[in-house]
Each structure stands twice: as C-alpha cells, then as structure tokens.
Amino acid sequence: MDGLTPDPVQLAGQEHFDAVLAKDSRVEPKDWMPDAYRRSLVRQISQHAHSEIIGMQPEANWITRAPSLKRKSILMAKVQDEAGHGLYLYSAAETLGTTRDEMMDALVAGKARYSSIFNYPTVTWADMGAIGWMVDGAAICNQVPLCRASYGPYGRAMVRVCKEESFHQRQGFEILLELANGTAEQRAMAQDAVNRWYAPSLMMFGPPDDDSPNSKQSMAWNIKRFSNDELRSRFVGMLVEQVKVLGLTLPDDQVRFNEESKTWEHGPLDWDEFKEVLAGRGPCNAQRLERRRTAHEEGAWVREAAVAYHQKQQDKQKAAA
Ligand SMILES: [Fe+2]
Ligand SMILES: [Fe+2]
C-alpha cells in the first residue's frame, strides 16, 4: 500500500470491529482488530497473568506455617487457583499472537509489570486473612466487570476466575473473623494486618482517574467498564460494611458516603509510594523476581521433557501412518 489509498481489508475490518463494539458484542481471536487494541490487550492480559503468578509467592510463604491442617489445605488450594488463573490468562494473551516464552522472558528480565500489591511482605498469619479479604476482594471488584470485556477469551477466562476469587475472599474473611474473636493478641494481629493492607489494596485499582492515561481508550473499547475511582469507591463501600461484622476498624477516619455523588470517599493515598513500588523499588520487588527467576530455571527440565515427549508422540504417529 502507498499509505494514501485506504486498504480495503482494513476498512472492512474496522467497520466490522466498530459494529461489534456498538452492539456490545465480542471480538474473537480471528477477527480483524486495530493494532492498538491488540497491543493494549496483550499489555493488560499479560500484566494480569504475571500478577497471578507472582501473587502466589506472598501466600505460599505461609503454607508451611499454617496453624492447622485445615488452614494449610485451604491455603494450598487458593495458591494453586492463582497458578490456574495465570495459565488461563497466558493462554488468552497467546490468542493475540504473543508467545508464552516472550511473556515469561519479559517477566524474569524485570521488563514486565505486575500488580504492585504483591511487592509487600506477609509478616504474620493474619496477613493471609487480610490478603484474602482485601486483595482478593479488590480483585473481584476489578474483575467482575471484566467478564463482559469485549475480547472473548479474556472475558470468558474471567468468569471462572471470579468464581474462584469469591472463595478466596471468603476464606480470608473467615481467617480474620476467627482471629478477631480470639485472644487479645490474635485480635491485635488481625487489626494490624488490616491496617497494613488497607491502603495498598485501595491502590490496586490504579491511579486516580485524572492520572490514568489508558483508561479512557480502554473504556471506549469496552474492555474496562468502570473507572478506577468508581471501582475504588465501590470497594470502600464493601469494606465499610464487612469490617463491622469483623468488629475491626479501617485505618482511615475520612471514609464517608457522599450523599450528593452517591459514592464512598476515603482519605488520601500515597501515590508516590505506589509509583516507587511499580518502578521496582517496593519492599519485596527484588525478592519476588529472584524467586520467579529461580523457579523458571529450575523448571527448565520439565519444559524440555514436555517438548521431548511431544516429539516422541509425533514420531510415533508418523511411523504408524
Ligand atoms: Fe487470582
Ligand atoms: Fe485470588
């Protein structure tokens, strides 16, 4: 093409794409889509996949120290679910033409982003409760609307992911509930965990709307359905009610319902800290990446064995044909 004459394939593709979005229908892997839409989805889905995989670490850290066999088996199931979420999401991203190797290489090279929340340490057992209740809770608020994302494989992956996330949230809530009704020391431990995870979990929704460059386009493409601030406000409303059941408090005396805007408001968040953590300078960034790298290297023999097995099966089929 000379760049001046419109490409008829692209024109027809764009028209079809626009019609699909206008109907609020789904774009599928083989459909034509604008390059920017594809790039944006690869970025979002791969970051999401990395978050699930890196997110296994802060909790896996407590599997050997879980206070009972029941707690241990629940936590193991939860961490395994997160591995599954990562795998669905890598598969969804692969349908857009990027390979899992490329995504994994970017992650271990420290070039890919993942949710900043997983760079905070888990210092007590109560953190398992606060993570389940707040971090998985925030993930649900974010991901339920993504079940309707315009890209088919992403939206469908989210349906199952959300079902599992609600189990994660309940198990976390239940850990906190038990601690909050336990000894004074256990109760203090639960409150301390809620205090530490509150602000980072609110920041999981991303920067405020006026500082979120990709949001507008993402909403126009029917990927994102609500703005960061809308989702954050909804999440605060959920915490306010549930923390009463726990008999604990939120470390924020500015939480209030704004009758005019019908939204929940909260105190200021430290966005400089958010940016620092995202830039790789959070409390556990180096440790998380190092662990991921080691696991990747230690898993090389499994990948090689799978390739060798696949080759063997193909040779057998050829010989039989
Ligand atoms: Fe997950
Ligand atoms: Fe989860």
Side-chain angles (χ1 to χ4, degrees):
M1 301 281 16
D2 54 17
L4 297 172
T5 326
D7 178 344
V9 175
Q10 187 167 341
L11 270 184
Q14 181 75 51
E15 212 170 285
H16 179 255
F17 177 81
D18 292 343
V20 166
L21 290 193
K23 273 192 295 183
D24 204 359
S25 186
R26 285 202 146 145
V27 180
E28 295 298 339
K30 288 193 173 130
D31 294 344
W32 184 93
M33 60 189 88
D35 283 344
Y37 176 81
R38 187 185 297 274
R39 272 199 307 274
S40 171
L41 277 169
V42 167
R43 181 182 52 81
Q44 180 170 342
I45 303 174
S46 62
Q47 282 179 11
H48 193 163
H50 297 328
S51 304
E52 302 282 357
I53 297 298
I54 295 283
M56 295 166 70
Q57 291 185 37
E59 287 168 294
N61 194 25
W62 277 88
I63 290 174
T64 53
R65 291 175 286 168
S68 69
L69 191 56
K70 181 184 131 192
R71 292 290 177 207
K72 190 193 288 271
S73 57
I74 293 173
L75 189 59
M76 276 173 72
K78 198 245 182 213
V79 173
Q80 281 177 351
D81 281 354
E82 306 300 6
H85 298 174
L87 297 183
Y88 306 148
L89 288 161
Y90 284 127
S91 300
E94 280 181 310
T95 64
L96 291 156
T98 180
T99 67
R100 192 170 303 198
D101 283 346
E102 282 171 316
M103 292 184 270
M104 202 41 78
D105 289 348
L107 177 62
V108 294
K111 290 183 197 150
R113 279 187 171 180
Y114 56 84
S115 179
S116 58
I117 192 89
F118 302 116
N119 292 312
Y120 289 88
T122 43
V123 293
T124 69
W125 170 252
D127 287 11
M128 300 304 98
I131 289 182
W133 180 46
M134 297 165 118
V135 176
D136 292 85
I140 294 172
C141 287
N142 238 330
Q143 292 170 11
V144 166
L146 286 174
C147 295
R148 294 191 292 125
S150 57
Y151 189 57
Y154 192 32
R156 288 189 288 272
M158 279 304 111
V159 175
R160 178 161 173 187
V161 166
C162 284
K163 285 185 189 156
E164 293 175 349
E165 293 302 351
S166 70
F167 150 65
H168 299 171
Q169 191 194 20
R170 279 162 200 222
Q171 64 86 38
F173 186 82
E174 207 233 335
I175 290 174
L176 287 179
L177 189 62
E178 204 163 306
L179 290 173
N181 289 305
T183 62
E185 204 182 337
Q186 286 172 324
R187 194 183 166 73
M189 198 199 275
Q191 183 63 61
D192 169 64
V194 169
N195 292 350
R196 280 181 291 106
W197 290 94
Y198 174 75
S201 70
L202 258 62
M203 291 197 272
M204 280 175 72
F205 296 93
D209 292 349
D210 49 18
D211 189 24
S212 176
N214 299 320
S215 281
K216 217 170 153 208
Q217 180 60 71
S218 197
M219 284 171 87
W221 278 328
N222 295 349
I223 298 172
K224 208 174 157 78
R225 301 285 177 164
F226 302 99
S227 78
N228 295 354
D229 288 335
E230 278 173 319
L231 292 168
R232 190 169 11 249
S233 158
R234 222 182 261 188
F235 177 61
V236 170
M238 192 193 82
L239 293 183
V240 166
E241 288 309 313
Q242 295 184 358
V243 81
K244 290 182 202 159
V245 181
L246 291 173
L248 299 174
T249 55
L250 296 177
D252 184 346
D253 56 9
Q254 293 181 48
V255 169
R256 67 174 198 110
F257 187 69
N258 183 326
E259 286 294 344
E260 256 169 55
S261 61
K262 302 282 176 219
T263 55
W264 283 94
E265 291 174 353
H266 54 82
L269 295 166
D270 185 351
W271 292 108
D272 290 336
E273 175 186 308
F274 175 79
K275 283 176 189 158
E276 278 293 290
V277 178
L278 214 54
R281 293 184 287 271
C284 300
N285 293 59
Q287 181 189 332
R288 301 284 184 249
L289 267 191
E290 189 47 43
R291 179 75 198 100
R292 184 64 244 152
R293 248 175 238 136
T294 313
H296 192 64
E297 281 160 22
E298 285 174 355
W301 70 272
V302 179
R303 294 190 293 278
E304 282 159 20
V307 170
Y309 179 76
H310 179 68
Q311 189 61 48
K312 226 181 193 175
Q313 296 301 308
Q314 277 192 328
D315 292 348
K316 253 191 208 167
Q317 273 177 4
K318 256 189 226 157

